[in-house]
Amino acid sequence: MRAVTWQGKRDVRVETVPDPILKEPTDAIVRITTTGLCGSDLHLYEVLTPFMTPGDIIGHEPMGIVEETGPEVTGLRPGDRVVVPFQIACGSCWMCGSGLPTQCETTQVIEYGMGAEIFGYSKLYGAVPGAQAEYLRVPQAHYGPIKVPEGPPDDRFVYLSDVLPTAWQAVEYAAVPREGAVCVLGLGPIGAMACRVARHRGAGRVIGVDLVPERLRRSRADGVETFDLNDFDGQDDLVEAVLSAGGGRGPDSVIDAVGTEAHGSPVGRTAQRAAGILPREWGAKLTARAGVDRLAALRLAIALVRRGGTVSLSGIYGGMADPLPLMIMFDKQIQLRMGQANVRRWADDILPLLTDEDPLGVDGFATHRLPLADAPHAYEMFQQKQDGAVKVVMRP
């Protein structure tokens, strides 16, 4: 089959690799019909290279058709149309039963002290072959895949794999009061969808902050009150503008949908690049034990949120030695929630919205649809924010 493989920093290639086969009785093989390019894939492209091995198949936002199932997969049969969540979970351990499949005790990556395995996402998450491919072996298929109806195009459902539950959880964790104000930092795929989810769930004021013109335009068209980082000399000026526009108190909730890709500290950027230059074994140890993140977005979230408010982190951070303004956080009585999205926890809430009425605008959410063969171009375009690329989906 053809698949997107990681070969080095900013080097992905579409290569012929062996077809996946069933290995466990709870496996399934899915023929991929659509697969997404996620902002967190860019961490592999740029930042988390110490944890990658040349030839790794990447990607974690797939849907497709079941081709084959193991004997213990009783809920699926060949021909079923499914969305495959990005995390791999058993559905029966204590964590899964508690609504935390991202912490699944069956698939936790103990070697690195991490949570559940993730498709196509480095040694940190199990080095499981990913979904930017023609076929995907799906472990724990008795629980993970979500059956969806025939008829509507893939765009209606593919975002159930990651974007929709991540945005939904970000808003849930943000605890936005009814008619309250929420500020979303970063209007990429997750941030833009979080704005839509917040409006759908009754937020009275939705604010978006970014610096990419196309992202700002899209969110303004969704009714979001936008602030362009390029219009301000520094964080203090932006904070003052947002607070002034809202009566001085600050938003009830702030969602950081940026994470480690923030345009922030040159010290953090240099440390990340240094880890990528070192031999992989050294770089992995440096990142795991003393990694530094670029915390501009998180610091901005802490500065913006009102006293007693909530900060919700959906953007990925990877450092282990990051100083936070704990005195300010304590004094402002900030609530802080974070984590990978628990896809199956939210799927039943989201599925009823994926109707012909399309209240979340999923049918037109992708800005670019490309063949899988164009993956190297797609990564470069998305990473460089070229051609108005906000969300890219690929088809094998």
Side-chain angles (χ1 to χ4, degrees):
M1 71 172 183
R2 302 290 283 172
V4 181
T5 64
W6 184 93
Q7 298 296 337
K9 185 174 181 179
R10 299 181 190 169
D11 183 3
V12 299
R13 305 174 195 172
V14 180
E15 297 188 323
T16 298
V17 301
D19 290 353
I21 60 173
L22 298 176
K23 296 182 178 179
E24 302 291 341
T26 52
D27 286 352
I29 303 298
V30 173
R31 174 173 55 84
I32 302 303
T33 55
T34 297
T35 186
L37 173 51
C38 179
S40 59
D41 288 328
L42 297 182
H43 297 108
L44 309 180
Y45 195 63
E46 181 79 29
V47 177
L48 293 179
T49 57
F51 297 100
M52 299 296 290
T53 301
D56 283 350
I57 302 172
I58 50 184
H60 59 269
E61 295 188 348
M63 70 173 293
I65 306 299
V66 176
E67 294 284 304
E68 188 179 2
T69 61
E72 294 182 15
V73 181
T74 57
L76 296 178
R77 62 183 182 181
D80 283 343
R81 190 185 192 196
V82 295
V83 174
V84 182
F86 68 86
Q87 75 245 181
I88 301 167
C90 72
S92 58
C93 69
W94 188 91
M95 286 291 180
C96 287
S98 300
L100 294 169
T102 54
Q103 311 304 325
C104 175
E105 292 168 319
T106 300
T107 71
Q108 282 178 6
V109 185
I110 304 300
E111 178 183 359
Y112 289 99
M114 306 300 281
E117 293 178 336
I118 294 176
F119 288 105
Y121 213 75
S122 81
K123 295 176 185 176
L124 287 175
Y125 289 100
V128 180
Q132 289 171 9
E134 293 180 317
Y135 293 89
L136 177 69
R137 170 182 167 255
V138 180
Q140 307 294 333
H142 60 287
Y143 173 69
I146 303 165
K147 287 200 287 189
V148 296
E150 296 294 336
D154 281 6
D155 282 37
R156 183 74 57 84
F157 302 113
V158 67
Y159 305 115
L160 266 175
S161 60
D162 186 349
V163 173
L164 282 167
T166 298
W168 193 275
Q169 179 171 293
V171 174
E172 179 75 18
Y173 281 9
V176 186
R178 187 74 181 175
E179 296 297 325
V182 58
C183 179
V184 179
L185 305 181
L187 298 174
I190 302 302
M193 187 57 74
C195 289
R196 296 181 183 187
V197 170
R199 286 174 58 82
H200 174 78
R201 296 183 59 175
R205 182 180 178 219
V206 180
I207 305 155
V209 178
D210 207 298
L211 45 66
V212 181
E214 177 61 25
R215 293 180 175 185
L216 292 162
R217 282 195 296 271
R218 275 170 54 103
S219 290
R220 277 197 296 271
D222 290 339
V224 176
E225 179 184 347
T226 60
F227 289 81
D228 186 344
L229 285 170
N230 294 308
D231 293 340
F232 302 95
D233 292 330
Q235 173 180 293
D236 292 345
D237 293 337
L238 172 61
V239 172
E240 181 179 354
V242 174
L243 267 58
S244 296
R249 181 177 294 149
D252 302 289
S253 311
V254 177
I255 295 171
D256 174 1
V258 178
T260 195
E261 290 297 314
H263 296 266
S265 161
V267 175
R269 182 168 61 251
T270 300
Q272 288 176 350
R273 288 177 176 172
I277 292 169
L278 291 169
R280 279 194 301 277
E281 293 79 3
W282 297 2
K285 291 178 181 178
L286 174 64
T287 303
R289 297 181 181 178
V292 177
D293 262 318
R294 295 151 67 183
L295 296 179
L298 179 53
R299 291 180 179 277
L300 177 57
I302 293 165
L304 279 170
V305 71
R306 69 162 169 83
R307 291 178 176 272
T310 302
V311 172
S312 171
L313 269 63
S314 64
I316 292 177
Y317 286 93
M320 290 288 285
D322 304 307
L324 288 172
L326 288 176
M327 182 173 73
I328 294 172
M329 295 167 68
F330 181 85
D331 183 67
K332 290 184 73 172
Q333 241 173 306
I334 291 172
Q335 316 294 315
L336 181 62
R337 296 196 71 184
M338 67 190 82
Q340 303 275 12
N342 298 286
V343 176
R344 289 304 303 263
R345 167 67 180 83
W346 311 114
D348 290 345
D349 295 323
I350 298 167
L351 263 171
L353 302 177
L354 304 182
T355 62
D356 288 342
E357 288 75 23
D358 193 17
L360 299 179
V362 293
D363 283 349
F365 191 63
T367 55
H368 292 72
R369 297 172 180 84
L370 301 171
L372 190 70
D374 289 349
H377 167 65
Y379 269 82
E380 181 179 5
M381 174 181 65
F382 191 36
Q383 201 259 352
Q384 297 295 327
K385 300 177 175 65
Q386 298 169 345
D387 194 31
V390 178
K391 183 61 184 177
V392 180
V393 294
M394 298 180 288
R395 296 195 168 97

